[in-house]
């Protein structure tokens, strides 16, 4: 789905205009139906209601940085066994996409696209060293099974793994990567940087005034 | 937690529980039957505890720490598996900050929160430096949850049983590592006084457990840091030294009288009288130096400094002793043949000194030198001694308390 395309919800006929240069999924804002064009080599996401949690971000929130403003247009929520991860899809620069991962007040930002992991998947363990390049070695922080995925809004390029895959996060100082492992299949990863929420300067967030 | 309409039925008694942490809550205890269970479809284990504990921070209570409002979500009581002591961990939550823990043991509290930035050496070394603080390994342990109540963002029972823990301290700070096959979680912590905890949650401090012994991250003497004490002491010493050097440099040290006295000259008189000498330049110090050629003997005299204009007397004494010998193959000596008396604030004028000597059997003579405007080092040393009391006391107490703190560790750098 390309920027400017208009898609009609197959369930309720609500029209949706694609804002990202490349969009892989739109969740109907009226009825929640997934609007997805399968490319043939990936899983079709199963529809799942977005759980209610205490995130203070929402679709429509913005990150106002000095040289660029990002608009949150979509959300992918991973329910892990002992954690959760919200991957917020942010649009900037007329349709470009980046990901902001959020969990319990901790944030990471991912500008690069999904990549295939060329290393040994056995490296992807908690406490183990993961060689990303000659210059960069990460340390595995955790391995968690993903028990559920929910989507909302517009989703940029995404690997639609079926729940049951494993998520590994590995980091070194501010560098961090998320690896998605489907048993006996390829390993995909996103690479980015950990960042403080204050630096992202979120606006138009959910106001939990009782917490301030 | 305001606004939550998220509910989950207890798999054991079917009571519908309102879940304050919404979808973030992954394990909880039933409000009715107290059974601990996970909310995910993958988690079927039900846990009941053979013990009970009333949280001193009520579940659902809100408290303000560092200007941020946290809500108490749950409490776990953990038991260490080797030494069998137990402690309490309250999990607290703020949507903007995430979760943290308030850990209490023997009435001592630590606020502990997950961190991303960990010193690289922390993974392997037994000590490391972070932001100027020297962290040392204090304990390694495995633990078990013996009681839980409330809500949790992870399966606290399973995770506690499967993790191996290491804690490093640099009071009032700590780093804690929870490591299992599946995760490596680093937390940082800081000691909180019971008053700070009580004030944060607006409960009387008397409701909190009484402090026993010394907390393993309890700071000594409030917020005073070793570096600050050392820096302050050095600064004071330098200041005193500069002041002393200034006054010494400007001292005139003028010899206003010098004379030799022999017992034979005393004849039937009881005292010697020096010739008159003049002291100039307002009120200044005076040093009287007595030298007696002694060997294994003593000399004593009483001196009377007399202002010839006013008749005012300043009386002082001086005892000079010098002994030496050879014993067990070593020579020794004690005392000196020279003695000084220091008089401060002597006004200008014409003076003489009456000397009332006491000669021993072998001492028969002495010399006297009187110096005007002499720098007094004794004041410097006395001031330095007084100002040293605090830093010396601080470090003695610090060492004693550190030893006491580390007596509960298997990794103490001290010997007992």
């Amino acid at each position: 789905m390309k920027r400017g395309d208009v898609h009609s919800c197959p369930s309720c006929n609500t029209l949706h205009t694609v804002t990202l240069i490349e969009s892989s999924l739109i969740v109907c804002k009226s009825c929640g139906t997934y609007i997805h064009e399968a490319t043939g080599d990936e899983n079709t996401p199963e529809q799942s209601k977005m759980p209610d949690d205490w995130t203070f971000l929402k679709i429509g929130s913005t990150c106002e940085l000095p040289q660029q403003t990002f608009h949150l247009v979509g959300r992918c929520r991973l329910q892990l066994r002992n954690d959760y991860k919200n991957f917020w899809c942010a649009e900037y620069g007329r349709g470009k996409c980046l990901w902001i991962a959020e969990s319990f007040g901790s944030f990471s930002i991912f500008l690069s696209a999904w990549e295939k992991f060329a290393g040994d998947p056995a490296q992807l363990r908690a406490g183990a060293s993961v060689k990303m390049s000659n210059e960069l070695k990460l340390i595995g922080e955790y391995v968690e099974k993903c028990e559920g995925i929910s989507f909302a809004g517009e989703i940029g390029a995404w690997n639609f793994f079926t729940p049951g895959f494993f998520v590994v996060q590995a980091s070194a100082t501010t560098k961090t990567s998320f690896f998605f492992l489907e048993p006996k299949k390829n390993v995909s990863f996103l690479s980015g940087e950990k960042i403080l929420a204050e630096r992202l300067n979120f606006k138009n967030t959910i106001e939990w005034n009782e917490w301030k | 937690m305001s606004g939550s309409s998220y509910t989950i039925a207890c798999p054991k008694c079917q009571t519908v529980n309102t879940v304050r942490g919404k979808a973030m809550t992954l394990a909880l205890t039933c409000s009715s039957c107290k059974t601990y269970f996970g909310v995910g479809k993958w988690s079927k284990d039900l846990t009941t505890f053979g013990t009970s504990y009333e949280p001193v921070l009520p579940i659902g209570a809100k408290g303000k720490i560092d200007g941020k409002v946290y809500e108490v979500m749950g409490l776990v009581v953990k038991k260490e598996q080797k030494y069998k002591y137990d402690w309490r961990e309250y999990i607290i939550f703020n949507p903007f900050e995430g979760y943290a823990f308030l850990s209490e043991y023997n009435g001592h509290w630590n606020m502990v929160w997950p961190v991303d930035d960990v010193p690289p050496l922390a993974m392997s070394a037994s000590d490391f430096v972070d932001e100027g603080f020297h962290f040392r390994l204090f304990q390694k342990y495995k633990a078990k949850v013996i009681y839980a109540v409330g809500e949790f963002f992870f399966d606290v029972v399973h995770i506690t049983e499967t993790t191996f823990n290491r804690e490093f301290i640099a009071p009032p700070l700590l780093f804690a590592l929870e490591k299992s096959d599946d995760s490596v979680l680093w937390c940082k912590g800081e000691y909180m006084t019971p008053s700070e905890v009580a004030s944060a949650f607006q409960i009387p401090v008397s409701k909190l457990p009484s402090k026993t012994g010394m907390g393993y991250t309890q700071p000594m003497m409030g917020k005073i840091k070793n570096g600050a004490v050392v820096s302050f002491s050095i600064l004071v010493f330098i200041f005193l030294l500069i002041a002393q050097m200034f006054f010494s440099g400007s001292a005139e040290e003028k010899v206003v009288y010098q004379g030799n006295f022999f017992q034979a000259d005393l004849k039937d008189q009881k005292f010697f009288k020096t010739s008159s000498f003049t002291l100039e330049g307002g009120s200044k110090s005076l040093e009287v130096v007595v030298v007696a050629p002694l060997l294994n003997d003593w000399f004593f005299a009483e001196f009377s400094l007399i202002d010839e204009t006013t008749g005012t007397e300043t009386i002082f004494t001086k005892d000079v002793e010098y002994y030496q010998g050879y014993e067990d193959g070593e020579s020794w000596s004690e005392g000196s043949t020279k003695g000084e008396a220091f008089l401060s604030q002597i006004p200008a004028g014409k003076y003489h000194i009456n000397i009332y000597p006491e000669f021993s059997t072998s001492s028969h003579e002495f010399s006297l030198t009187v110096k005007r405007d002499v720098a007094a080092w004794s004041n410097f040393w006395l001031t330095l001694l007084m100002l040293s009391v605090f830093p010396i006391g601080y470090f003695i107490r610090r060492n004693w308390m550190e030893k006491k703190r580390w007596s509960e560790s298997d990794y103490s750098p001290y010997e007992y």
Side-chain angles (χ1 to χ4, degrees):
Chain A
M1 295 185 280
K2 303 293 181 194
R3 180 176 170 82
D5 291 352
V6 178
H7 292 266
S8 171
C9 172
S11 300
C12 69
N13 296 322
T14 300
L15 296 178
H16 297 269
T17 304
V18 178
T19 57
L20 298 171
I21 292 170
E22 185 186 352
S23 185
S24 59
L25 175 73
I26 292 175
V27 180
C28 176
K29 58 194 172 205
S30 298
C31 66
T33 298
Y34 286 5
I35 306 168
H36 173 65
E37 287 181 352
T39 56
D41 61 347
E42 62 183 28
N43 299 313
T44 300
E46 285 183 24
Q47 207 154 311
S48 171
K49 187 171 179 270
M50 180 63 72
D52 185 17
D53 66 21
W54 281 101
T55 181
F56 61 90
L57 297 178
K58 62 184 181 184
I59 291 170
S61 295
T62 57
C63 310
E64 295 187 5
L65 304 185
Q67 294 171 336
Q68 188 78 56
T69 295
F70 308 100
H71 302 267
L72 303 192
V73 297
R75 174 187 182 188
C76 171
R77 188 181 191 279
L78 273 58
Q79 182 59 64
L80 310 180
R81 282 203 170 174
N82 284 294
D83 202 347
Y84 76 95
K85 298 289 169 191
N86 276 318
F87 283 82
W88 293 93
C89 182
E91 184 265 341
Y92 70 103
R94 296 177 59 80
K96 292 180 190 166
C97 166
L98 61 80
W99 293 96
I100 296 168
E102 168 248 328
S103 177
F104 290 115
S106 176
F107 290 85
S108 313
I109 189 164
F110 301 89
L111 284 158
S112 64
W114 285 95
E115 295 177 65
K116 296 290 180 196
F117 181 60
D120 179 3
Q123 287 181 294
L124 301 173
R125 289 180 288 115
S129 176
V130 183
K131 186 178 178 183
M132 303 299 288
S133 67
N134 286 336
E135 295 77 36
L136 180 61
K137 280 183 182 169
L138 306 178
I139 302 292
E141 291 182 2
Y142 59 82
V143 180
E144 283 278 356
K145 193 169 188 180
C146 178
E147 300 287 349
I149 306 180
S150 308
F151 296 95
E154 184 176 340
I155 305 297
W158 183 260
N159 271 306
F160 291 101
F161 284 9
T162 305
F165 65 92
F166 290 89
V167 177
V168 179
Q169 187 174 6
S171 308
T173 62
T174 60
K175 303 284 182 194
T176 191
S177 293
F178 277 99
F179 299 85
F180 286 11
L181 293 82
E182 261 189 320
K184 297 177 184 174
K185 290 190 180 176
N186 289 334
V187 179
S188 299
F189 70 96
L190 276 176
S191 282
E193 302 233 355
K194 291 183 177 180
I195 190 166
L196 294 174
E198 295 77 33
R199 282 191 59 201
L200 289 169
N201 193 24
F202 289 113
K203 303 284 185 193
N204 190 30
T205 57
I206 299 170
E207 288 291 321
W208 305 117
N209 288 324
E210 70 268 36
W211 298 97
K212 291 183 176 172
Chain B
M1 194 171 288
S2 323
S4 176
S5 55
Y6 213 88
T7 57
I8 291 174
C10 171
K12 187 176 180 186
C13 70
Q14 311 309 317
T15 298
V16 175
N17 293 271
T18 300
V19 182
R20 301 182 341 277
K22 304 185 182 182
M24 290 173 167
T25 293
L26 296 181
L28 71 153
T29 55
C30 173
S31 58
S32 177
C33 69
K34 312 300 179 196
T35 300
Y36 172 92
F37 61 97
V39 302
K41 53 184 178 288
W42 62 91
S43 179
K44 302 294 181 196
D45 292 342
L46 306 180
T47 306
T48 51
F49 303 101
T51 183
S52 180
Y53 184 88
E54 188 63 32
V56 293
L57 302 178
I59 307 300
K62 283 184 178 169
K64 203 167 197 175
I65 301 173
D66 288 338
K68 288 146 189 149
V69 175
Y70 287 88
E71 180 167 332
V72 178
M73 302 297 294
L75 161 71
V76 284
V77 182
K78 294 183 177 178
K79 186 180 274 291
E80 202 269 348
Q81 292 298 281
K82 184 178 176 188
Y83 295 110
K84 305 295 180 192
Y85 61 88
D86 55 61
W87 72 97
R88 288 138 295 280
E89 285 180 5
Y90 293 86
I91 183 164
I92 57 176
F93 174 71
N94 171 295
F96 301 94
E97 303 298 321
Y99 63 83
F101 305 94
L102 276 172
S103 171
E104 180 271 314
Y105 172 64
N106 275 352
H108 295 278
W109 295 81
N110 284 288
M111 166 97 168
V112 181
W113 61 95
V115 288
D116 288 329
D117 291 334
V118 180
L121 271 176
M123 284 300 286
S124 53
S126 60
D127 65 330
F128 57 88
V129 174
D130 182 61
E131 295 179 351
F133 287 90
H134 186 188
F135 288 84
R136 289 177 190 274
L137 177 63
F138 187 84
Q139 57 187 345
K140 294 180 184 177
Y141 63 89
K142 288 197 78 165
K144 190 175 180 179
V145 172
I146 57 170
Y147 180 71
V149 62
E151 298 178 22
F152 306 94
F153 302 122
F154 43 84
D155 183 351
V156 68
V157 171
H158 180 254
I159 284 183
T160 303
E161 285 177 3
T162 55
T163 53
F164 185 71
N165 302 273
R166 283 196 290 167
E167 291 189 355
F168 301 82
I169 63 165
L173 303 175
L174 68 93
F175 268 109
L177 167 67
E178 287 186 7
K179 189 175 184 310
S180 70
D181 290 342
D182 294 333
S183 76
V184 178
L185 175 67
W186 277 97
C187 292
K188 197 169 183 181
E190 185 167 9
Y191 186 85
M192 282 183 82
T193 64
S195 307
E196 287 170 331
V197 175
S199 166
F201 288 89
Q202 296 185 312
I203 56 173
V205 72
S206 58
K207 296 261 184 194
L208 301 181
S210 303
K211 279 203 292 190
T212 308
M214 187 176 188
Y216 74 136
T217 55
Q218 184 181 353
M220 280 171 296
M221 303 178 79
K223 303 279 184 189
I224 298 174
K225 291 180 179 169
N226 296 344
V229 174
V230 171
S231 303
F232 175 75
S233 302
I234 290 172
L235 276 175
V236 167
F237 176 75
I238 290 171
F239 173 77
L240 278 177
L241 194 63
I242 290 171
Q244 180 64 24
M245 297 303 278
F246 172 77
F247 289 120
S248 298
S250 60
E252 201 178 354
E253 293 203 19
K254 182 184 177 185
V255 175
V256 293
Y257 176 83
Q258 192 162 32
N260 295 314
F261 301 88
F262 300 92
Q263 187 179 19
D265 295 338
L266 203 55
K267 296 178 182 168
D268 55 348
Q269 291 206 9
K270 288 190 174 175
F271 66 95
F272 293 110
K273 180 183 175 188
T274 68
S275 56
S276 298
F277 50 87
T278 304
L279 303 181
E280 294 170 342
S283 286
K284 290 184 178 176
S285 61
L286 201 68
E287 185 183 46
V288 178
V289 181
V290 181
V291 177
L294 304 169
L295 182 61
N296 295 323
D297 211 344
W298 56 270
F299 167 75
F300 174 82
E302 183 178 300
F303 300 83
S304 178
L305 174 70
I306 297 167
D307 185 331
E308 295 181 356
T309 310
T310 63
T312 307
E313 275 188 275
T314 304
I315 296 169
F316 56 97
T317 62
K318 198 68 219 170
D319 185 18
V320 180
E321 292 178 72
Y322 182 70
Y323 300 93
Q324 69 172 48
Y326 190 82
E327 200 171 300
D328 296 334
E330 288 187 8
S331 57
W332 58 270
S333 66
E334 189 179 312
S336 170
T337 58
K338 182 181 174 185
E340 297 101 6
F342 188 85
L343 307 174
S344 60
Q345 300 291 308
I346 303 297
K350 196 173 181 186
Y351 289 83
H352 71 266
I353 298 175
N354 290 342
I355 308 163
Y356 300 85
E358 286 183 26
F359 294 103
S360 67
T361 50
S362 63
S363 73
H364 304 293
E365 60 178 286
F366 66 95
S367 68
L368 189 74
T369 305
V370 180
K371 294 179 190 173
R372 175 67 162 164
D373 191 14
V374 177
W377 278 90
S378 57
N379 287 347
F380 168 76
W381 293 115
L382 193 65
T383 310
L384 193 65
L385 183 69
M386 283 179 353
L387 289 172
S388 301
V389 168
F390 171 69
I392 290 170
Y394 169 83
F395 282 106
I396 288 173
R397 182 173 159 77
R398 177 187 173 280
N399 190 57
W400 177 75
M401 291 182 78
E402 277 298 308
K403 222 171 159 178
K404 191 176 167 194
R405 179 203 310 282
W406 282 92
S407 67
E408 296 196 356
S409 168
D410 287 342
Y411 306 94
S412 174
Y414 298 95
E415 288 187 5
Y416 298 92

